[in-house]
Amino acid sequence: MTNNVLNIHDIDERAHTMLRRFYGYSSFRPMQLEIIRSILSGRDTIVLMPTGGGKSITFQIPSLMMDGCTIVVTPLIALMHDQVAALCANGIPAATVNSSQSDSDNRTIIEAMANGHIKLLYISPERLLADMPRWSNDIRINFIAIDEAHCISRWGHDFRPDYTRLSEIRHMRPDLPVMALTATADRLCREDIGAQLEMKNPALFVSSFDRPNIDLTVLPNPGTRQRIDTICSLIERHPFDSGIVYCLSRKGAESVNEALRDRGYKSEVYHAGLPAEQRQKAQNRFKSGTLQAICATVAFGMGINKSNIRWIVHTNMPANIESYYQEIGRAGRDGMPAKAIMFYSMADLITLRNFAEQSGQSAINAEKLKRMQQYAESMVCRRRILLSYFGETATHDCGHCDVCRNAPARYDASTPVRMAMSAAIRVGQQAGASMLVDILRGSARADLMARGFNRIKTYGAGHDIPAPIWNATLLQMLQMGFIEIAYNMGGRITVTDYGRRILMSQEPIMLPVPEVYTEHRTKQRKQPKTVITPDEQLLIDLKKTRTDLSAKLGIPADMILGDQVLAAIVSAKPVDFRTFAGTEGIGDRKAVRYSLPFLRTIRKSLGMTPPQIASPDITLYLLKREYMPHEIAGMRDIKQSTVYGHIARLIDDGKYTDFDRIVSPSQYKLFVNTRNADPTGYIDQLKNRLPDGMITLLLAIDRKYHDKTD
Ligand code: ADP
Ligand code: ZN
């Protein structure tokens, strides 16, 4: 196989070539290259990366570097179609086999795969298990990539029994490496994946789950009016983008939708109580970018792979941090700034408490709700809370959540914090929160004395701090990631490794002054924007161009060019084909297909004449990127003979000399010999013996040689 003969250096170089050629990116994100190397070396590989982290490239690029086809297992047919469409838009041959297509279509795809024409095949687990044993031996499989791998775990929030049967693949084809990918942050579930897939010594890659581009805000105690106003102002600021409004109930979703439509915005409603066609229609309109908002219950989102969702509003607090994180994670997958605003009210809390109590797992759900509430009420950086919830340590405040922006007053909390951690450790991490506070305050409660907690050094050391302040401080410590609560052991307080490092260090610990009865922080009023800068106007124009193209071609807007690419265009302002093609995020195929309309927009905005792109120059660009004439023809939707004609002209003009890559010595010899033997009839004679149109090129090469030798 190709990968066996390549050394690391070659692998890195080829991987970069693929990244530039097909995706138009100049560098890998952290860990991507390591993951690619791992699977290319044949090792089972587990990849845990947040949504939008860039997982897809880590199995797509290795596949492009190998001879065969990679099988991608994924649960939802809707997602398969989107992913295949996105790959094809980048010029990567991909297909899906599934029950929504006819048997004959599915058969054609399998044949194409046997002929080596498909690099990635998307398929559901049940279909793979049923079909694979019947596939012909001609099909070369590189490896199996299992996307949404958390579906294999009963611990996960999206367990799918079919996934558990995937280990059968291992028994069928023990030679195939397996790559499991997921964006789940749930630890138990992570551990389950390797075991369930019977992985042999897998390489594990865990990236940070931080999504720094998502700006977090919580707005307490909203009225209906404030909710709607906030959503409207988001739409106003992003008129050509879309966002999701998550509501707790179907009725809530409907009434927000109505309010938005009343005000003239393009909005649809989506919840499980609607007929399937209506849901589908709303979803399609959302994906294609024609909606400004979709008002939905949590039923919406699983099958959504839209990269440019710019904002998410929760009109009510979600039931737990996992769901919240997953929902806001749908925003800004392209890495561009996105906003997540959550409203939070006492009424939500009461409803959610009732839900939790009535659920089968009331204790766990109540606990999860409590953590969600702590997030909502937090006075420390919200991102720190999210990350520490998922077991990650954030050592800095993020700077782009509402708490960081309206930073509360801080004080040096070194003494009480170290005192509390020290007490927790001295009692062998056996005390719960209220016991710990009583120890610190020197309470004489019976069970405290009975357990001998009064004999530790810190007993009573914090008697001058009132209990509510201690409680608030412990909460802050939890949110900072200094301590954890062991829910499975009666809520005992344990000190994290990070907390222990803090305990040992001399650094002052600055915390917000705990205000036990806080007035709600005054919100900054957003200044209404009146002036639009030229760059902002260009971005608006580019989005319009994109929307028009999207309607014309029937392709979702973000599959034409993502928002991050439009931003790159605004800052680079390419005015000719070459610079356009060199813009970050524009792969070769997209450069060729879309340069004209976008260049027209850019040049117009700069007061320049419309673009003139000579067709042979585009061919030249692709030749220099090592495409062959038939590939260029396919990519540009022109005849191969036209491409040869271009090359002939380029040779005549002295712009291209590397033709021995395109014409083999035997083809050239055949041409020369036939012509020498029959100087008048050779063209007819060669017609069927050389690719269509190659003679034009051979003649040009010949002219060149004569020029030189004469
Ligand atoms: P995931 O599958 O992890 O949710 P994707 O693979 O869809 O994430 O990638 C999210 C976005 O990041 C996509 O727009 C993708 O093109 C972009 N991306 C991925 N890798 C890179 C890279 N190396 N440089 C720039 N953008 C990248
Ligand atoms: Zn913050």
Side-chain angles (χ1 to χ4, degrees):
M1 230 183 280
T2 325
N3 51 312
N4 290 339
V5 295
L6 291 174
N7 63 34
I8 279 266
H9 179 73
D10 293 339
I11 286 180
D12 289 4
E13 198 170 298
R14 286 203 54 203
H16 275 102
T17 303
M18 299 298 167
L19 184 70
R20 273 193 300 272
R21 173 182 290 196
F22 290 103
Y23 304 88
Y25 297 134
S26 53
S27 56
F28 283 105
R29 289 193 181 150
M31 254 187 261
Q32 283 180 324
L33 193 56
E34 287 81 354
I35 297 168
I36 291 170
R37 286 186 200 138
S38 164
I39 194 72
L40 283 174
S41 75
R43 194 161 167 202
D44 286 344
T45 302
I46 302 180
V47 178
L48 309 170
M49 249 189 214
T51 311
K55 287 185 287 301
S56 319
I57 276 179
T58 65
F59 59 82
Q60 291 167 355
I61 286 187
S63 188
L64 290 168
M65 294 167 69
M66 296 167 89
D67 294 336
C69 175
T70 294
I71 308 296
V72 186
V73 177
T74 164
L76 297 176
I77 293 178
L79 277 187
M80 292 177 198
H81 283 295
D82 288 356
Q83 272 155 343
V84 166
L87 283 162
C88 293
N90 278 333
I92 300 170
T96 154
V97 158
N98 65 60
S99 56
S100 76
Q101 291 169 183
S102 74
D103 285 349
S104 83
D105 282 355
N106 284 334
R107 262 198 309 278
T108 311
I109 285 160
I110 299 299
E111 269 162 36
M113 193 162 73
N115 293 327
H117 294 325
I118 289 178
K119 294 264 76 180
L120 293 138
L121 182 81
Y122 284 73
I123 190 165
S124 68
E126 56 274 26
R127 184 95 200 191
L128 179 64
L129 285 161
D131 287 12
M132 199 155 114
R134 295 189 273 127
W135 284 350
S136 105
N137 288 332
D138 294 340
I139 295 181
R140 249 176 119 155
I141 301 178
N142 299 330
F143 59 92
I144 305 213
I146 300 177
D147 207 2
E148 314 288 346
H150 58 276
C151 292
I152 207 168
S153 170
R154 279 166 223 279
W155 299 105
H157 53 80
D158 190 23
F159 174 57
R160 288 167 190 258
D162 282 321
Y163 261 71
T164 55
R165 289 186 51 214
L166 281 169
S167 61
E168 292 172 30
I169 300 279
R170 301 239 69 145
H171 303 170
M172 263 186 248
R173 292 290 304 269
D175 57 312
L176 293 180
V178 168
M179 181 163 174
L181 306 108
T182 175
T184 190
D186 180 326
R187 184 156 300 188
L188 278 175
C189 168
R190 290 175 182 183
E191 284 165 12
D192 223 16
I193 292 171
Q196 293 263 0
L197 288 170
E198 302 184 20
M199 287 196 165
K200 312 151 201 159
N201 181 29
L204 176 67
F205 296 92
V206 185
S207 85
S208 166
F209 275 72
D210 192 8
R211 302 283 310 280
N213 60 317
I214 302 179
D215 182 296
L216 307 165
T217 299
V218 176
L219 299 176
N221 299 321
T224 313
R225 182 66 197 256
Q226 192 201 357
R227 287 187 170 103
I228 301 294
D229 283 350
T230 304
I231 298 167
C232 291
S233 78
L234 283 169
I235 297 179
E236 287 295 334
R237 282 171 36 154
H238 304 271
F240 299 100
D241 298 309
S242 14
I244 308 177
V245 182
Y246 276 113
C247 304
L248 203 53
S249 68
R250 296 174 184 181
K251 232 180 85 203
E254 272 164 8
S255 78
V256 176
N257 182 49
E258 259 159 47
L260 294 181
R261 292 178 82 128
D262 281 350
R263 296 205 194 180
Y265 297 116
K266 287 178 249 167
S267 172
E268 289 273 5
V269 64
Y270 185 107
H271 58 66
L274 296 171
E277 316 88 81
Q278 193 180 337
R279 282 205 310 258
Q280 192 62 44
K281 197 174 140 230
Q283 181 165 319
N284 289 344
R285 287 192 67 199
F286 181 76
K287 279 203 282 203
S288 73
T290 50
L291 287 185
Q292 292 172 309
I294 193 155
C295 303
T297 58
V298 294
F300 182 76
M302 244 316 253
I304 296 296
N305 193 11
K306 188 174 169 60
S307 71
N308 60 341
I309 298 173
R310 294 272 72 91
W311 54 267
I312 307 263
V313 167
H314 283 85
T315 58
N316 313 90
M317 185 172 82
N320 55 60
I321 290 186
E322 286 95 332
S323 315
Y324 173 68
Y325 200 67
Q326 190 182 32
E327 283 151 19
I328 62 169
R330 296 194 173 115
R333 288 184 63 157
D334 52 17
M336 297 293 291
K339 264 189 159 310
I341 296 182
M342 181 183 113
F343 290 109
Y344 159 63
S345 74
M346 206 57 202
D348 294 345
L349 203 58
I350 293 165
T351 315
L352 289 166
R353 277 212 186 115
N354 286 335
F355 283 172
E357 264 162 39
Q358 288 151 20
S359 71
Q361 297 175 294
S362 57
I364 291 182
N365 288 338
E367 199 48 60
K368 289 190 166 184
L369 176 57
K370 199 160 133 203
R371 295 293 293 269
M372 187 72 228
Q373 185 187 352
Q374 286 166 359
Y375 170 84
E377 293 174 351
S378 169
M379 291 188 44
V380 306
C381 168
R382 295 199 204 275
R383 201 168 313 270
R384 285 184 97 129
I385 302 187
L386 289 181
L387 292 178
S388 79
Y389 184 81
F390 294 120
E392 223 174 282
T393 308
T395 48
H396 300 285
D397 287 353
C398 78
H400 37 270
C401 68
D402 55 335
V403 181
C404 285
R405 271 192 303 272
N406 309 321
R410 284 167 186 269
Y411 77 113
D412 185 346
S414 308
T415 310
V417 166
R418 292 208 170 90
M419 193 189 286
M421 287 197 283
S422 150
I425 291 171
R426 280 174 200 276
V427 296
Q429 310 194 104
Q430 300 294 315
S434 68
M435 175 66 88
L436 192 60
V437 171
D438 286 342
I439 295 168
L440 290 162
R441 287 187 40 81
S443 146
R445 69 189 242 198
D447 54 346
L448 186 159
M449 311 299 276
R451 292 168 79 181
F453 291 165
N454 57 330
R455 290 198 295 274
I456 68 165
K457 209 173 126 200
T458 29
Y459 175 74
H463 65 93
D464 54 343
I465 299 176
I469 300 286
W470 267 123
N471 284 326
T473 306
L474 288 183
L475 183 55
Q476 289 177 333
M477 290 168 63
L478 183 69
Q479 290 162 344
M480 294 293 285
F482 298 162
I483 57 174
E484 271 175 351
I485 297 180
Y487 293 113
N488 50 352
M489 291 187 294
R492 289 181 212 157
I493 303 255
T494 61
V495 179
T496 64
D497 289 344
Y498 177 49
R500 283 170 200 263
R501 282 204 303 280
I502 295 291
L503 180 59
M504 295 308 162
S505 81
Q506 304 293 317
E507 298 271 301
I509 305 166
M510 301 304 291
L511 289 181
V513 179
E515 294 170 66
V516 181
Y517 302 105
T518 54
E519 283 295 300
H520 289 120
R521 279 187 296 281
T522 46
K523 281 157 268 110
Q524 292 175 333
R525 269 256 144 251
K526 286 177 211 101
Q527 292 292 327
K529 267 201 172 172
T530 45
V531 211
I532 293 182
T533 66
D535 277 5
E536 284 167 339
Q537 187 56 49
L538 177 55
L539 186 62
I540 292 173
D541 295 344
L542 290 170
K543 284 189 176 170
K544 270 204 194 112
T545 306
R546 184 174 67 173
T547 311
D548 295 346
L549 261 181
S550 153
K552 193 169 128 206
L553 305 173
I555 305 174
D558 65 317
M559 258 184 225
I560 292 177
L561 293 179
D563 284 14
Q564 76 278 35
V565 181
L566 296 190
I569 291 178
V570 169
S571 71
K573 299 194 184 53
V575 291
D576 55 31
F577 175 76
R578 196 164 293 275
T579 45
F580 181 82
T583 306
E584 190 71 5
I586 301 182
D588 293 342
R589 188 184 160 91
K590 289 185 176 176
V592 167
R593 302 224 152 188
Y594 305 137
S595 53
L596 209 54
F598 286 105
L599 280 173
R600 204 177 288 136
T601 306
I602 301 162
R603 292 179 63 101
K604 192 169 165 208
S605 87
L606 297 173
M608 297 167 79
T609 53
Q612 305 274 338
I613 307 177
S615 194
D617 287 342
I618 297 186
T619 296
L620 177 63
Y621 176 83
L622 295 173
L623 285 170
K624 292 209 164 142
R625 293 171 81 89
E626 311 218 316
Y627 287 96
M628 294 303 282
H630 71 275
E631 293 172 311
I632 298 176
M635 198 182 255
R636 301 192 57 190
D637 244 344
I638 54 181
K639 288 205 200 103
Q640 190 167 315
S641 57
T642 311
V643 176
Y644 281 121
H646 289 162
I647 306 175
R649 250 176 77 187
L650 292 166
I651 291 173
D652 283 343
D653 295 350
K655 288 182 176 168
Y656 188 66
T657 48
D658 200 13
F659 40 78
D660 49 350
R661 203 171 60 78
I662 294 165
V663 177
S664 70
S666 62
Q667 284 170 322
Y668 188 69
K669 211 180 273 165
L670 175 72
F671 163 76
V672 172
N673 291 345
T674 317
R675 189 180 56 177
N676 288 347
D678 182 0
T680 50
Y682 71 98
I683 291 188
D684 277 342
Q685 284 198 41
L686 286 172
K687 220 164 215 160
N688 296 319
R689 302 177 64 187
L690 290 172
D692 197 20
M694 191 189 255
I695 291 181
T696 328
L697 166 61
L698 289 162
L699 286 167
I701 296 176
D702 202 52
R703 280 195 291 278
K704 198 90 207 160
Y705 270 107
H706 276 284
D707 285 354
K708 267 195 204 140
T709 46
D710 279 355

